[in-house]
Amino acid sequence: MKKSYTFIANWKMYFDFNESMNYATKNLDSIISLADLSNASIILCPSFPMLYPLTQIFRQTKVQIGAQNCSDHTKGPFTGQVCAKTLNQMGCKSCIIGHSEIRRYKSETDEMISKKFEMLLDDGISPILCIGESELDYKNGKTLEVINEQLKRVIEIVSYSAKKFNGLPIYIAYEPEWCIGSGKTPSNDKLETIFAWINAQTQKHHSISNWQFLYGGSVDVENAVRIGQISYINGFLIGKMSTNFELFEKIVKSTILGNNN
Ligand code: PGA
């Protein structure tokens, strides 16, 4: 059976408001056509202020809009934060949580991330949970130990409340910190082992959830086909390369075709 893939564009803070709108309007028809491909789903993740205009632009298309983060609170005196319910009301379908740039710069803990995970599910939004080890942990052979710590709480959450959100995709994005923006990617052998392990963890509780496993970290036109063929990988979280539409489009098309030509 042909694999289906989800391509998530993590625009980080590469674009200001006008640049985001220009990207969307200039490439509108092509973005919609990509999302219409039978085995590709497209999710664009801009900064907060662009979420609502983009959900409006892509209303009634298959292009989905996701957020880059959310609050770990539902309401109250939390200046500068945005709750999951607001994301839902704006038309967001998914939200990145646990990105290493937020873990690092905003001291986000696994406990906070698991609260966000649960709140997103309660509001009908698919979490895109990022996990991944540092270069030092990778060199010391601690990858599985680190990602186990990052994964175990959310797997518990899903195991005790899976029925509540039956069918909602839950994305796990394995993004080794040392691969983000560095041009480096893990070898096929490493990725095969890691994704088989992630799959085994999520199946432990016989949950009925729709888990989707993504790879992120320096995905580009050269490596997407190779990585896309690894067992259990059915999508990518793409940073820098997603900000150039021609390259993003090439990554999508070559991955689903299984070749670069
Ligand atoms: P990159 O970023 O593709 O620029 O390496 C990926 C990410 O941080 O999600």
Side-chain angles (χ1 to χ4, degrees):
M1 205 175 71
K2 230 177 169 189
K3 255 183 164 186
S4 288
Y5 294 91
T6 300
F7 299 87
I8 304 182
N10 177 11
W11 287 352
K12 309 194 181 191
M13 209 177 67
Y14 283 119
F15 289 150
D16 59 29
F17 189 90
N18 291 343
E19 287 164 340
S20 304
M21 301 319 273
N22 287 343
Y23 181 108
T25 47
K26 197 175 127 214
N27 303 304
L28 188 68
D29 293 342
S30 310
I31 300 172
I32 293 172
S33 304
L34 277 189
D36 281 338
L37 293 169
S38 60
N39 50 343
S41 301
I42 305 294
I43 305 179
L44 304 179
C45 298
S47 310
F48 285 130
M50 289 75 112
L51 289 172
Y52 188 65
L54 288 183
T55 58
Q56 295 310 295
I57 289 175
F58 290 106
R59 210 180 35 199
Q60 289 164 1
T61 76
K62 289 188 181 158
V63 180
Q64 296 180 34
I65 303 302
Q68 294 180 13
N69 196 9
C70 68
S71 176
D72 57 339
H73 300 279
T74 48
K75 212 178 197 120
F78 303 103
T79 305
Q81 300 195 24
V82 177
C83 65
K85 185 170 270 170
T86 295
L87 298 180
N88 173 314
Q89 290 168 351
M90 286 195 292
C92 288
K93 296 280 181 259
S94 53
C95 177
I96 298 171
I97 51 174
H99 193 282
S100 65
E101 286 153 10
I102 302 178
R103 290 179 192 262
R104 190 172 343 125
Y105 302 133
K106 301 285 178 197
S107 314
E108 192 177 54
T109 62
D110 287 323
E111 202 189 326
M112 289 158 79
I113 294 164
S114 61
K115 275 173 75 186
K116 294 180 183 191
F117 184 90
E118 200 157 12
M119 282 168 189
L120 288 168
L121 290 174
D122 284 344
D123 276 297
I125 296 177
S126 292
I128 305 165
L129 172 72
C130 300
I131 57 173
E133 79 287 15
S134 66
E135 184 147 36
L136 186 65
D137 285 331
Y138 168 74
K139 285 188 175 147
N140 290 334
K142 292 197 169 152
T143 300
L144 298 184
E145 201 180 305
V146 172
I147 63 175
N148 184 41
E149 252 332 281
Q150 297 168 334
L151 252 187
K152 66 181 187 205
R153 278 193 184 81
V154 306
I155 289 179
E156 270 169 36
I157 292 170
V158 175
S159 67
Y160 65 68
S161 48
K163 282 207 178 73
K164 239 175 35 185
F165 37 82
N166 189 14
L168 196 67
I170 298 174
Y171 301 98
I172 303 294
Y174 170 62
E175 294 208 310
E177 278 177 37
W178 52 279
C179 296
I180 295 175
S182 64
K184 298 181 203 167
T185 53
S187 67
N188 282 13
D189 283 356
K190 281 263 177 320
L191 288 174
E192 287 283 358
T193 308
I194 291 164
F195 279 88
W197 182 88
I198 294 172
N199 178 60
Q201 301 310 302
T202 57
Q203 298 312 309
K204 261 187 191 166
H205 297 278
H206 307 290
S207 66
I208 46 171
S209 301
N210 179 4
W211 296 97
Q212 305 278 327
F213 306 128
L214 316 173
Y215 170 78
S218 295
V219 173
D220 63 21
V221 179
E222 306 308 317
N223 59 33
V225 173
R226 165 180 74 83
I227 300 175
Q229 286 170 355
I230 307 272
S231 321
Y232 305 109
I233 292 186
N234 41 27
F236 291 124
L237 183 53
I238 310 168
K240 187 73 185 154
M241 292 299 148
S242 70
T243 62
N244 176 321
F245 182 71
E246 281 70 37
L247 295 179
F248 183 61
E249 186 179 38
K250 266 194 194 146
I251 291 173
V252 172
K253 290 190 170 164
S254 60
T255 306
I256 61 175
L257 280 175
N259 69 59
N260 276 322
N261 304 314

